[in-house]
Amino acid sequence: QRTRTMSPTGRGRWNGPLRRGQTVQTMPGEEGMGVHPLHLHVDPAYWCVTRWDLSCFEREVYDLWQAGGIPDDEEAPNIHHNRRNVGPTVYQTNRYLIKPRTLEAGGMSWALMCHPEGLKCDVFVSHCWAEGVFEFCSKVRRMWPPDAKNLWCCFLANPQNGDIGSLLGSSPRDSPFARALTCARFVLVVPNRRVSIYSRLWCVFEAHVAIDMDLAIQLPSSPHPRRVVQEGLPLIFLSGLTFATVFMLRDRWECPNMSHYGGINHPWLVIIYGMPVLLLVAG
């Protein structure tokens, strides 16, 4: 295995992703910085997960939550905690799943636990920890840009067992958040049903940087009814054609002398073939 040794030279110490099979060696002066060595050498813009990683993470949360392993916060109860479409907050998920799992793995973040070499950021997510994890994951998957591969999300990107303050530094523009934004092509703004994300100063800062950099900012939205109808027309038509053919063949088999049942006068054919036209007009 290749080993990369670097001296901690402030914010310039990050050096992109590691190559596969390459490891890092802690240098004198780094032991007391309070974070896993990977976070001192892999650029923060590479602390990312894939869409598949996000789905696997959600499944782990769900299994632990179902087993009672992620309780609600007694001091700040979440009325949606037991709802499958919302679930436990990121705060509780971090406490009962992310921190124990990543500590057991060595203390790096969830993202670098999955991909120690790092994955370059395509999508940056701006959100609030008060949200439910299932709500968050569902919205992110729905908003995920088609040509994007890797996602930067703070609770998965940052080392939750480490001294995150030592990574943030004195200026927000030198923080891992800002460095990830400089590489992102898309920014997803994920609201929730509990609080406004812009009551969180980091979200305000992220929006400011994204606007300054002219990044594509995406908000969640429901599909327009016309679009739903139009996209569903081919399926409706094919289903109608199948049903009409089945009924036509059945009637011919049962009543071979009633040849007019095989024509357009058959009531099922009129209904089935007419339905897509009506839906198209209504849309």
Side-chain angles (χ1 to χ4, degrees), residues 12-34:
R13 65 180 174 273
W14 289 306
N15 194 32
L18 296 179
R19 293 185 295 274
R20 286 194 175 275
Q22 188 178 16
T23 61
V24 295
Q25 178 179 332
T26 303
M27 294 292 292
E30 292 185 341
E31 298 88 343
M33 297 188 72

Side-chain angles (χ1 to χ4, degrees), residues 101-212:
R101 280 289 310 280
T102 55
L103 182 61
E104 183 181 358
M108 70 290 286
S109 69
W110 192 279
L112 292 187
M113 179 181 70
C114 296
H115 303 281
E117 70 281 4
L119 299 172
K120 188 175 181 180
C121 176
D122 293 315
V123 185
F124 183 96
V125 180
S126 183
H127 68 108
C128 177
W129 282 37
E131 71 207 343
V133 168
F134 306 143
E135 177 185 22
F136 170 81
C137 292
S138 175
K139 288 179 178 177
V140 168
R141 278 195 299 269
R142 192 166 71 240
M143 298 164 63
W144 196 291
D147 59 340
K149 294 182 179 180
N150 308 316
L151 174 135
W152 201 99
C153 169
C154 62
F155 64 86
L156 298 177
N158 289 322
Q160 300 302 329
N161 288 296
D163 179 10
I164 298 178
S166 67
L167 293 176
L168 296 180
S170 57
S171 171
R173 288 195 174 274
D174 291 330
S175 68
F177 296 84
R179 292 183 70 90
L181 275 167
T182 61
C183 287
R185 293 183 293 134
F186 308 94
V187 175
L188 307 185
V189 177
V190 184
N192 64 85
R193 64 190 68 204
R194 296 191 68 198
V195 297
S196 167
I197 65 170
Y198 293 116
S199 62
R200 179 174 174 260
L201 289 179
W202 272 110
C203 289
V204 176
F205 169 72
E206 290 159 3
H208 171 70
V209 174
I211 292 171
D212 272 357

